[in-house]
Amino acid sequence: QSSSLAVLLSYIRYGHGHGIWYGPALDPESAALFPKDYGYGLLAVYAVWLLVILILYPLCRWFAELKHPWLSYL
């Protein structure tokens, strides 16, 4: 799921997600596939992390409150 989020953000920011599938941006062979300003700053990373936590917390809370015996094994 994190890779699908990376592809989505790449399409939103650059209009394509070509470089994500070929390897790291620091690899000399695949570096040409990435835009010059590829990546996000630390503040943006923390903002996305916080957004994911805020979205997933209610779902996890709901799942934790289920009291079915067969769910205790999950």
Side-chain angles (χ1 to χ4, degrees), residues 1-2 4-5 7-8 19 30 34-36 56 58 65 72:
Q1 288 130 357
S2 62
S4 56
L5 181 60
V7 171
L8 175 68
S30 61
F34 292 89
K36 296 281 186 203
L56 290 180
E65 292 174 2
S72 65

Side-chain angles (χ1 to χ4, degrees), residues 19 22-28 30-31 34:
Y22 295 109
L26 299 177
D27 182 21
S30 61
F34 292 89

Side-chain angles (χ1 to χ4, degrees), residues 13-14 34-40:
R13 185 169 180 188
Y14 303 111
F34 292 89
K36 296 281 186 203
D37 62 342
Y38 179 75
Y40 294 93

